[in-house]
Amino acid sequence: MAARTTAPARPTGLRERKKQQTRAALVQAAHVLFLSQGFARTTVDEIASAVDVSQRTFFRYFANKDEVALAVMADAEDYFMECLRRRPAEETPLEALRASIVQAWRDLGAADPTTPGSIGSALELLRIIEDTPALLAAHLRRVTEQERTVVRVLAEREGVDPARDLRPVVLAAVFGGLVRAAHLSWTAEQQPPGPEGMVRVIECHLDQLGPALAGHWRG
């Protein structure tokens, strides 16, 4: 299957385009404020005011500050799942997971990484997420939900029942833990920079998966 080079297409109706533009503007404003003055000091009113909309309009798009802070990462996670569903059947489950996460980061990173609201800008928020208990809790809840979805997709893809065959559950758990470890490793130094840097860190972790699980560690 040919790799996609762009993120998922957005609806093209005028009303829907305006809604997407407002949502993107709120995310961009929130990123700027979070990075400049911190998450705790930023209010919903400030985010809405920066886009010249009402607080009521903000709440049409996001339930709270946590949700707008995590919006781009959540979109990236959703796109990863779309990529996984599209992977060729001849790939092994682990090959499909690896190809999907690399494709997702590269496709979404193709946009200007310095633009607030982009995946590149969202990477700058990873440290804030890790240092903010409420944000971290919300992020981990979503990661747990995504792991369950990965189990379902892998089970359907391979034609197995995850209630009887534990392989989808085990692989989803291992892969999710590996990706989180890669995120933490990248967040510590934010090197190599940008989405491509994150891809390199994730791939380095994936390269160690086989030796870590099945190889001898001594000598």
Side-chain angles (χ1 to χ4, degrees), residues 4 48 50 80 95 104 125 169 180 186 190 192 206:
R4 295 169 58 125
F80 159 73
E95 287 171 341
L125 291 178
V169 175
R180 173 154 172 76
W186 186 91
Q190 298 198 358
L206 283 164

Side-chain angles (χ1 to χ4, degrees), residues 171-192:
L171 181 55
V174 170
F175 185 78
L178 182 147
V179 171
R180 173 154 172 76
H183 285 179
L184 290 171
S185 176
W186 186 91
T187 302
E189 300 294 336
Q190 298 198 358
Q191 292 294 330

Side-chain angles (χ1 to χ4, degrees), residues 21-150:
Q21 288 168 358
T22 300
R23 181 183 186 275
L26 287 167
V27 171
Q28 177 173 339
H31 278 204
V32 171
L33 289 166
F34 294 154
L35 292 172
S36 64
Q37 65 186 33
F39 178 80
R41 293 182 58 192
T42 300
T43 67
V44 168
D45 281 339
E46 287 177 311
I47 298 169
S49 177
V51 183
D52 197 24
V53 299
S54 66
Q55 185 184 94
R56 182 177 179 181
T57 297
F58 174 93
F59 286 120
R60 288 178 189 156
Y61 293 88
F62 302 103
N64 47 46
K65 283 197 307 177
D66 297 4
E67 197 170 292
V68 72
L70 298 172
V72 177
M73 295 303 294
D75 289 346
E77 291 158 7
D78 289 343
Y79 184 49
F80 159 73
M81 292 308 310
E82 179 183 329
C83 292
L84 180 59
R85 291 184 177 98
R86 292 172 178 267
R87 294 311 303 173
E90 59 268 22
E91 291 179 340
T92 67
L94 183 56
E95 287 171 341
L97 285 167
R98 180 171 187 151
S100 297
I101 197 162
V102 169
Q103 179 186 345
W105 277 106
R106 285 185 170 151
D107 286 358
L108 296 172
D112 181 359
T114 64
T115 302
S118 70
I119 194 65
S121 173
L123 284 174
E124 298 183 50
L125 291 178
L126 281 177
R127 187 169 292 165
I128 293 177
I129 292 170
E130 292 295 331
D131 291 341
T132 307
L135 274 182
L136 182 57
H139 175 62
L140 293 178
R141 280 196 301 272
R142 182 172 175 87
V143 167
T144 300
E145 292 168 3
Q146 185 187 46
E147 187 175 303
R148 295 192 187 104
T149 304
V150 169

